[in-house]
């Protein structure tokens, strides 16, 4: 903790209390996000946004306190969360499982780093293999095309509301009339 501000006991206690509260909230949200999996919903988007805000807030206050090791880890995790925020749908199930593994590992490491600061020790850098996993995941999310959402007619056929023949007839009729369905 090279920054003079980190040596102010009152300021340091406020920082630690805020980080621990935010990490607890993020833990609950990560568990909820993991339970949702790759299901698209408004809850998914809200959870990703809340978790992003936790990492973003911790990054900012850690930077203010001069805790560069925490800033580095939260910055990398924030990149992955930002990629999730930019998508209109969650990644496919396998990628979502990998994402959750990485985010939970980053959360655990961040919790250890904050605990070290509470004990009066400087936080050790996050393990290189964790940073490498986070960076690789971010790159994978950048390259991975979003899943195309199924069209209403296809959903109705799968749910057996209408038959494939009825769908095709309706689409042909709509095309003939010049309507767009």
């Amino acid at each position: 903790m090279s920054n003079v501000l980190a040596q102010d006991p009152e300021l340091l206690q406020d920082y630690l209390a805020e980080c621990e509260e935010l990490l607890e909230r993020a833990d609950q949200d990560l568990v909820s996000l993991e339970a949702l999996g790759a299901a698209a919903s408004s809850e998914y988007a809200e959870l990703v946004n809340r978790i992003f805000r936790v990492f973003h807030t911790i990054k900012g206050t850690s930077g203010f306190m001069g805790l560069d090791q925490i800033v580095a880890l939260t910055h990398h995790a924030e990149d992955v969360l930002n990629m999730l925020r930019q998508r209109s749908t969650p990644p496919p199930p396998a990628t979502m499982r990998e994402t959750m593994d990485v985010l939970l590992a980053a959360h655990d490491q961040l919790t250890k780093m904050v605990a070290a600061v509470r004990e009066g020790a400087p936080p050790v850098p996050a393990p290189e293999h964790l940073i490498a996993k986070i960076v690789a995941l971010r790159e994978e999310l950048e390259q991975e095309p979003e899943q195309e959402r199924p069209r209403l007619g296809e959903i109705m056929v799968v749910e057996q509301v209408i038959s494939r023949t009825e769908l095709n007839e309706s689409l042909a009729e709509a095309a003939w009339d010049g309507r767009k369905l």
Side-chain angles (χ1 to χ4, degrees):
M1 295 184 287
S2 60
N3 193 320
V4 174
L5 294 173
Q7 301 303 319
D8 179 331
E10 187 177 327
L11 186 61
L12 183 59
Q13 289 309 309
D14 290 345
Y15 163 79
L16 290 168
E18 179 182 34
C19 283
E20 290 163 349
E21 180 182 321
L22 288 168
L23 287 168
E24 187 174 319
R25 188 177 321 146
D27 185 49
Q28 294 166 1
D29 286 343
L30 284 164
V31 168
S32 296
L33 184 61
E34 187 174 35
L36 280 179
S41 70
S42 59
E43 186 179 5
Y44 168 85
E46 179 57 33
L47 286 167
V48 170
N49 281 323
R50 284 197 318 242
I51 297 164
F52 174 86
R53 285 191 302 272
V54 164
F55 279 84
H56 183 73
T57 301
I58 292 173
K59 181 181 83 170
T61 56
S62 297
F64 179 74
M65 297 296 289
L67 299 166
D68 296 335
Q69 304 300 343
I70 293 176
V71 171
L73 176 59
T74 54
H75 177 74
H76 286 295
E78 186 183 52
D79 284 348
V80 168
L81 289 159
N82 200 35
M83 294 297 301
L84 295 177
R85 291 171 64 203
Q86 293 174 10
R87 299 173 65 96
S88 61
T89 60
T95 305
M96 191 63 193
R97 281 189 298 277
E98 180 183 355
T99 300
M100 292 310 308
D101 289 347
V102 166
L103 290 174
L104 288 165
H107 178 274
D108 290 348
Q109 182 63 39
L110 188 55
T111 300
K112 290 176 187 174
M113 294 167 98
V114 170
V117 173
R118 179 161 294 287
E119 296 298 318
V124 297
E128 283 300 316
H129 72 276
L130 176 57
I131 298 299
K133 281 183 182 180
I134 295 170
V135 170
L137 177 61
R138 187 194 73 227
E139 290 170 0
E140 180 181 338
L141 289 169
E142 286 174 344
Q143 301 302 317
E144 182 179 273
E146 285 195 55
Q147 297 172 321
E148 189 173 311
R149 292 185 179 175
R151 299 186 180 265
L152 177 59
E154 294 299 323
I155 294 170
M156 292 175 71
V157 169
V158 169
E159 295 292 324
Q160 299 179 344
V161 173
I162 62 173
S163 69
R164 171 76 51 199
T165 303
E166 290 171 314
L167 172 63
N168 291 337
E169 289 171 358
S170 295
L171 291 172
E173 182 181 323
W176 181 257
D177 289 347
R179 294 180 290 170
K180 184 176 181 180
L181 294 178

